[in-house]
Amino acid sequence: MNATATTELTRVLRQSQLDGAKTKAERNKLGQFATPTALAADILQYASTLMSSDIKIRFLDPALGTGAFYSALLQQFLEEQIVEAVGYEIDPHYGNEAKKLWENSLLHLNLTDFTRAMPPKSDEAKANLLICNPPYVRHHHLSLVEKQRLQQVTEQIMGIKLSQLASLYCHFLCISDAWMAENGLAGWLIPSGFMDVNYGRKIKDYLLNRVTLLRVHSFNPADLQFEDALCTSAVVWFKKALPPTEYTVEFTYGGSLAEPKMSLTVAVEVLRSAAKWTQFWLASDSQHSKIKPMKSPEVNCFEEMPLFRGVSPSTSCEVKLSDLFTIKRGLATGANNFFVLTSEQVSDYKLPLEFLKPILPSPRLLSVDEIEADSDGNPVLVREASPKENRLLFLLSCDLPPDEVKAKYPSLWEYLQVGVRQGISDRYLCNHRSPWYSQENRPPAPFLCTYMGRQNTGRGRPFRFILNHSMATATNVYLMLYPKPALAKALLDQQALLKEVWQALDRISDETLMGEGRVYGGGLHKLEPRELGNVLANKIVEFLPDRSPTLVV
């Protein structure tokens, strides 16, 4: 075993001890998630395939930690090829240990905040190989003053003003541009969320127009790269050089950098127009494929459909769910265990029925996908072995002022006082409602979609569409689809269409839904209302035009 391998074993042991000396909450707040040895080796091994053996390497890691990437650098490159190695680490807890570990090596470690350091002035002094796992500090852990400072620094260096919702790693990536030599190579191990969220648009613009994006490798969400961080990871590779007019970018998914499970090339024109980049690996049904730009047809096929005549879609010939439905998250009570009650609890507390409305149980406790209604509009739920499943639930909501409740409804008043004593009235959502025990308006919707889910469940599908014949509303674990006027009239005129629309919704592929949504560590998929609204709905309207009048929005 060589000296570097021995040092790496020591480093891994000390990393574990240093992590153990901090709480998970402390490390989460500072975004400190150490790169595993195998992953660091995979990244540096791939970097070696992109760099000629005659290039003298000037290495930079802006968030060194204890030096996982530097250790991998020494093992993947010849010693004589490395002429300089620079690292930055803001936390002495890790930085001081790194100095001891690498004191006899080439590494020059700076114990300071990289975002406050001054970059080299000459191109010869800048890094031609930058590898980094930047701190994943979410925006809500950054003070307003720090956000504004980072915005200013990033704008001064790159002319890019990032959103205040951007995580710290976004600033690291942009600021590092000033530290890179022309034609230098960068590999960033970062959360894959930037590919789908609004604050990531500026990052994608930088990758497409300021540098030459080479490859984006997304790890399978079920294969967590960091044991203590529930986020999906990606490795983004680019060269610091203006991009060619036309070229393709390699997108890989799953497995490792050396052996991905899926690979495809995407034209840069497609990337520039795509709202979400994670859709590409979901769209690929073969190991090697190409996604090329598509020419938009000149005919507006909405004009061919009576239901949509007079409507101008955002993209020709594409009908989206948002053209058919108003989509909203279910209501957020602020305390489901207080406001969502069983029939037994309603009876025990003698709560007045006029302030109660039926509400659906959690999707995991709902065994049916078509919900019938009884004569009172309550959902009829199939009962199973477990008494907790499919219980009839009621939402408590009252708009009356406290004095009136106390005078007219003493039993309700007594129950509300339980909420006061438990501190529920002081919770954020409750405290911002007047009165605190009222609820936002969410009428029952005929169609619902589950807000989140995993593929590795008994159903094997991350999302479910539910047909609701009852008067039950739903909490924010559901998305509620309210038909827009023309579709609502068509459904009212022909009741049979209700089930046909539901079946068409249910036939939307998992890949389509996952492509519009986002995914988190452990394989948890989520869909926001706008994301569900972007799903194409052409199949749903195939049977509607001949039966429906002109759409009135």
Side-chain angles (χ1 to χ4, degrees):
M1 183 179 293
N2 61 36
T4 302
T6 302
T7 304
E8 172 61 12
L9 291 175
T10 304
R11 188 198 67 80
V12 172
L13 175 61
R14 292 297 294 131
Q15 179 77 52
S16 178
Q17 293 170 338
L18 292 168
D19 286 346
K22 287 191 171 190
T23 66
K24 286 187 177 181
E26 289 173 328
R27 290 192 294 113
N28 182 63
K29 186 175 181 180
L30 295 174
Q32 295 172 323
F33 304 107
T35 308
T37 297
L39 180 55
D42 189 32
I43 290 172
L44 267 298
Q45 192 280 328
Y46 180 73
S48 70
T49 68
L50 299 179
M51 301 191 74
S52 172
S53 59
D54 60 355
I55 294 178
K56 297 301 182 182
I57 293 174
R58 300 187 302 277
F59 173 80
L60 172 64
D61 184 347
L64 187 99
T66 58
F69 286 136
Y70 178 62
S71 178
L73 174 79
L74 297 178
Q75 296 182 66
Q76 297 296 330
F77 287 84
L78 296 174
E79 183 179 351
E80 56 268 24
Q81 191 178 355
I82 306 168
V83 297
E84 185 179 36
V86 177
Y88 280 82
E89 175 54 49
I90 191 174
D91 189 351
H93 181 72
Y94 294 100
N96 286 331
E97 185 62 33
K99 279 200 168 185
K100 294 177 186 177
L101 283 167
W102 306 111
E103 60 183 349
N104 296 321
S105 75
L106 188 67
L107 179 67
H108 176 71
L109 177 56
N110 302 279
L111 287 177
T112 188
D113 183 350
F114 173 73
T115 67
R116 297 178 183 271
M118 294 298 294
K121 293 183 178 180
S122 68
D123 200 62
E124 293 75 15
K126 295 182 179 181
N128 60 7
L129 177 59
L130 187 155
I131 306 291
C132 186
N133 169 16
Y136 182 29
V137 180
R138 301 176 211 186
H139 75 92
H140 54 266
H141 287 318
L142 298 170
S143 68
L144 178 59
V145 172
E146 182 65 357
K147 287 181 181 180
Q148 292 172 341
R149 183 191 71 82
L150 289 166
Q151 277 184 318
Q152 184 178 18
V153 173
T154 302
E155 190 170 15
Q156 286 175 346
I157 289 176
M158 284 305 302
I160 297 173
K161 186 173 183 179
L162 295 177
S163 164
Q164 289 195 3
L165 298 179
S167 297
L168 182 57
Y169 74 86
C170 298
H171 293 282
F172 260 71
L173 193 150
C174 291
I175 290 171
S176 294
D177 185 89
W179 295 73
M180 288 187 66
E182 290 300 315
N183 295 308
L185 175 69
W188 288 87
L189 174 59
I190 57 179
S192 60
F194 82 94
M195 291 190 273
D196 293 344
V197 295
N198 287 334
Y199 71 73
R201 290 178 180 176
K202 295 288 182 71
I203 300 299
K204 290 188 287 189
D205 179 73
Y206 167 79
L207 294 173
L208 293 174
N209 300 306
R210 304 291 190 92
V211 295
T212 301
L213 182 60
L214 303 174
R215 180 181 178 185
V216 179
H217 178 79
S218 298
F219 293 99
N220 188 320
D223 300 331
L224 290 176
Q225 301 305 305
F226 304 93
E227 293 182 358
D228 47 2
L230 288 178
C231 69
T232 53
S233 304
V235 185
V236 178
W237 295 95
F238 61 84
K239 181 172 68 172
K240 187 180 177 181
L242 291 177
T245 304
E246 295 182 7
Y247 76 105
T248 58
V249 178
E250 183 181 15
F251 273 69
T252 55
Y253 171 75
S256 64
L257 282 165
E259 297 182 357
K261 298 295 184 184
M262 186 183 297
S263 175
L264 63 149
T265 55
V266 184
V268 71
E269 295 95 330
V270 174
L271 289 174
R272 289 193 174 110
S273 61
K276 293 173 180 269
W277 285 4
T278 54
Q279 65 180 294
F280 297 118
W281 54 261
L282 288 169
S284 176
D285 57 3
S286 61
Q287 188 173 2
H288 295 281
S289 59
K290 290 186 177 182
I291 298 181
K292 298 179 179 179
M294 298 176 60
K295 294 182 179 179
S296 300
E298 296 179 1
V299 178
N300 179 355
C301 48
F302 268 39
E303 293 298 331
E304 304 299 320
M305 303 179 184
L307 178 64
F308 296 95
R309 192 166 290 141
V311 175
S312 298
S314 55
T315 304
S316 295
C317 294
E318 290 186 352
V319 182
K320 297 181 178 181
L321 288 182
S322 58
D323 296 314
L324 293 170
F325 302 95
T326 297
I327 305 174
K328 295 184 177 182
R329 282 281 297 275
L331 56 87
T333 69
N336 284 356
N337 60 347
F338 180 80
F339 291 109
V340 178
L341 303 158
T342 65
S343 300
E344 293 78 12
Q345 288 174 311
V346 169
S347 177
D348 290 345
Y349 289 109
K350 298 180 175 59
L351 298 177
L353 296 181
E354 57 261 48
F355 302 121
L356 298 168
K357 62 180 68 174
I359 189 167
L360 296 177
S362 166
R364 64 186 177 84
L365 299 178
L366 183 65
S367 63
V368 295
D369 288 340
E370 182 175 5
I371 302 170
E372 301 293 348
D374 64 17
S375 58
D376 295 323
N378 294 323
V380 176
L381 304 173
V382 178
R383 293 192 176 277
E384 295 185 352
S386 173
K388 291 185 178 181
E389 292 188 3
N390 302 305
R391 291 185 300 179
L392 189 59
L393 300 174
F394 295 93
L395 174 72
L396 173 63
S397 180
C398 176
D399 294 328
L400 299 179
D403 290 346
E404 190 171 347
V405 173
K406 185 176 182 179
K408 296 182 179 179
Y409 303 96
S411 60
L412 174 59
W413 176 255
E414 288 181 14
Y415 183 69
L416 294 177
Q417 297 318 295
V418 173
V420 172
R421 290 193 294 272
Q422 292 178 351
I424 291 172
S425 60
D426 294 325
R427 293 187 183 181
Y428 181 84
L429 287 178
C430 298
N431 192 39
H432 284 74
R433 294 196 297 250
S434 182
W436 67 268
Y437 42 82
S438 62
Q439 302 293 338
E440 57 187 329
N441 183 34
R442 283 292 183 275
F447 308 101
L448 300 104
C449 179
T450 52
Y451 166 63
M452 69 180 83
R454 290 182 168 86
Q455 285 182 285
N456 59 348
T457 62
R459 293 175 177 267
R461 303 188 65 183
F463 302 106
R464 297 164 58 189
F465 283 98
I466 294 162
L467 178 59
N468 178 30
H469 298 285
S470 77
M471 296 302 293
T473 186
T475 63
N476 57 358
V477 291
Y478 293 93
L479 301 181
M480 308 182 77
L481 287 75
Y482 299 97
K484 288 189 173 181
L487 178 57
K489 185 178 186 306
L491 294 172
L492 185 63
D493 292 343
Q494 300 190 45
Q495 291 291 314
L497 288 180
L498 196 69
K499 187 166 290 190
E500 291 187 47
V501 171
W502 170 51
Q503 291 170 343
L505 287 168
D506 196 52
R507 285 194 293 269
I508 297 172
S509 70
D510 295 341
E511 290 75 18
T512 297
L513 295 170
M514 291 188 294
E516 290 296 341
R518 58 195 69 184
V519 62
Y520 296 85
L524 179 66
H525 293 269
K526 290 185 180 180
L527 266 176
E528 296 294 345
R530 183 179 297 180
E531 294 168 341
L532 180 59
N534 286 332
V535 172
L536 296 184
N538 298 70
K539 294 292 183 183
I540 297 176
V541 300
E542 283 181 356
F543 49 81
L544 293 179
D546 295 334
R547 313 179 190 187
S548 307
T550 302
L551 178 64
V552 180
V553 180

